[in-house]
Amino acid sequence: MAQTDSTLLSAYDPDGYYCELHGLPNQPLIETEQTRRHLDRITLEQLRTRSADAERELYNFGITFTVYTQKDAVDRILPFDVIPRVISAADWKIMETGVKQRVAAINAFLLDIYGAGKVIKDGVIPGELIYSNPNYRPEMEGFAPPLGTYAHIDGTDIVRDHLGTFRVLEDNARTPSGVSYVVENRHLMQRAFPDLMAGVGIRPVSNYGDKLHEALAALAPKEVLDPQVALLSPGVFNSAYFEHIFLAREMGVPLVEGRDLVVEADDRVFMKTVAGYKPVHVIYRRINDDFLDPLAFNPDSMLGVPGLFAAYRKGTVALANAVGTGVADDKAVYAYMPRLIKYYLDEDPILANVDTHICREPEGLSYTLDHLEELVVKPVGEAGGYGITVGPRASQEEIESCRAALQADPANYISQPMVRLSVCPTLTDEGVAPRHVDLRPFAITGQSTWVLPGGLTRVALRKGSIIVNSSQGGGSKDTWVLE
């Protein structure tokens, strides 16, 4: 799609998809009209020049992530597209209330399965789906975390279908990442494109660190008047290490590794400093359960803190997110979320799931095997876009390989129809063209739940691709929620 007309967007064609900037062909978005006018004042060459400057700035600031599967290109910047994704105030209200509802149900579900297990006894969800889950932690049974909250930081992946309806694609309640790009993308746009933002009322995102610190501090033991929060990182080789640095800086708290912490005989956690031991009351941990404490979980872990889990159970330190939260990330559990929302909240879901077939169930497996060429098949425990088979775009060899995997281990898979994901104008080598996008809003739960206005818009930069994950060649955009 070559760009030949006089304005930036005049040759842009959404190709029949719902467009985040234009809407539907017969229902153009009024709310984004000002942004479209601003974009049309910029030439394609100006956009390319300023885009190159923006990517250079990301690199110079060290805003990178790690791709473990590519030996020759491990550290790289997350590709940034300078054409923003715009969300109206009305659409955001739907999304915000829907995310809050979902987070409330997730926390009620986790508190229940590690407590009375009523949801299983009442037959709402199969017990084997919970107890056979590798992220289920029997060590948490009978323990209620501070404020009854498991998922203090939650990322909900949301797409928009061909009619413009929001649908939840998956939940990320364990250690959702990407919020650093949300804030840095906004700062970058403010520096590089002040003319594009002029006069557009956009809700701010720069207070995320303050909101996060406030929520985490509320988890501290009640007798502590001035809680010390710390962010626990696996270290510099972790793919999200930039984000760990960013969040610690935004909150004004120390970034620590396992070797920096020690648990004393009275089950209290201390941080080693040049001035001696300093107590720590709340830990935002970016380490998976397995590696958190070698005395409680993986004995070979060199990343965690011996005795940390015992201190957590005793209540001398709080952990966010709670141990065992990963059960809610499971894509098979996701299929039950509409029922769980109804069960715990007595409400219908505000944000619908994508229709899902559970392959551990005979009916779901049979349907999936009969319609492989039409469905997207996903392993329940994978993240980052790995292991997915997109039936309508897969080769016959890939279809048969997927069929064999399904028959060998059906419980490991779900399938969904291929959603016609919405698109957003994106700068490509050929000009401004439609590329598929999703959105990950971030919710913080302390005394109440707050949702960052916007979230991480990920964009599939490869033409025709619906896989937006950074590990699979995706990029990101600034997300504007209008006042």
Side-chain angles (χ1 to χ4, degrees), residues 51-64 76-82 180-181 183-189 191 242 476:
S51 175
D53 291 342
E55 293 226 335
R56 193 177 305 113
E57 191 170 330
L58 288 175
Y59 185 80
N60 290 339
F61 278 131
I63 302 172
T64 63
R76 57 171 61 181
I77 63 166
L78 181 65
F80 175 65
D81 184 71
V82 294
S180 56
Y181 301 114
V183 180
E184 290 292 4
N185 286 352
R186 177 62 52 80
H187 292 166
L188 190 60
M189 288 296 287
R191 290 190 295 268
F242 161 75
S476 71

Side-chain angles (χ1 to χ4, degrees), residues 36 96 105 107 291 332 353 371 375:
R36 294 198 299 272
E96 181 183 40
N107 277 311
F291 302 101
N353 273 15
H371 298 83
L375 299 169

Side-chain angles (χ1 to χ4, degrees), residues 30-263:
I30 299 170
E31 297 90 345
T32 60
E33 188 176 343
Q34 186 177 22
T35 301
R36 294 198 299 272
R37 285 201 308 268
H38 283 189
L39 282 166
D40 274 335
R41 296 191 190 112
I42 303 172
T43 68
L44 181 60
E45 287 312 308
Q46 288 172 337
L47 192 69
R48 288 197 193 284
T49 299
R50 292 164 78 172
S51 175
D53 291 342
E55 293 226 335
R56 193 177 305 113
E57 191 170 330
L58 288 175
Y59 185 80
N60 290 339
F61 278 131
I63 302 172
T64 63
F65 70 100
T66 304
V67 181
Y68 295 123
T69 55
Q70 298 181 13
K71 296 177 183 177
D72 58 340
V74 178
D75 284 320
R76 57 171 61 181
I77 63 166
L78 181 65
F80 175 65
D81 184 71
V82 294
I83 301 177
R85 189 243 190 97
V86 183
I87 300 175
S88 71
D91 276 350
W92 177 249
K93 186 65 178 175
I94 295 169
M95 203 177 307
E96 181 183 40
T97 53
V99 166
K100 286 182 177 180
Q101 179 194 59
R102 202 164 179 102
V103 169
I106 285 172
N107 277 311
F109 165 67
L110 290 166
L111 195 62
D112 184 14
I113 63 169
Y114 289 112
K118 198 167 178 297
V119 70
I120 298 166
K121 294 172 186 173
D122 289 346
V124 179
I125 192 169
E128 63 181 33
L129 193 66
I130 307 302
Y131 302 130
S132 65
N133 190 306
N135 290 307
Y136 180 80
R137 295 293 175 189
E139 299 90 345
M140 287 293 288
E141 291 173 359
F143 173 69
L147 304 180
T149 300
Y150 273 77
H152 309 91
I153 301 94
D154 179 89
T156 307
D157 288 350
I158 297 172
V159 296
R160 206 198 284 253
D161 65 18
H162 63 291
L163 297 176
T165 303
F166 293 120
R167 292 184 178 273
V168 176
L169 197 60
E170 65 180 51
D171 299 290
N172 297 280
R174 189 169 19 177
T175 49
S177 63
V179 73
S180 56
Y181 301 114
V182 178
V183 180
E184 290 292 4
N185 286 352
R186 177 62 52 80
H187 292 166
L188 190 60
M189 288 296 287
Q190 288 170 332
R191 290 190 295 268
F193 288 88
D195 50 336
L196 193 57
M197 306 178 82
V200 182
I202 304 168
R203 292 186 61 178
V205 297
S206 296
N207 59 337
Y208 182 85
D210 293 336
K211 291 286 188 179
L212 180 59
H213 186 269
E214 178 186 333
L216 294 176
L219 304 176
K222 291 180 181 178
E223 67 274 12
V224 178
L225 300 179
D226 185 17
Q228 174 64 65
V229 178
L231 194 152
L232 176 61
S233 169
V236 67
F237 295 109
N238 185 264
S239 62
Y241 188 64
F242 161 75
E243 178 153 294
H244 304 166
I245 298 171
F246 172 87
L247 289 172
R249 185 187 70 218
E250 291 290 299
M251 288 192 287
V253 306
L255 177 67
V256 298
E257 297 179 27
R259 61 191 175 187
D260 300 319
L261 300 177
V262 63
V263 180

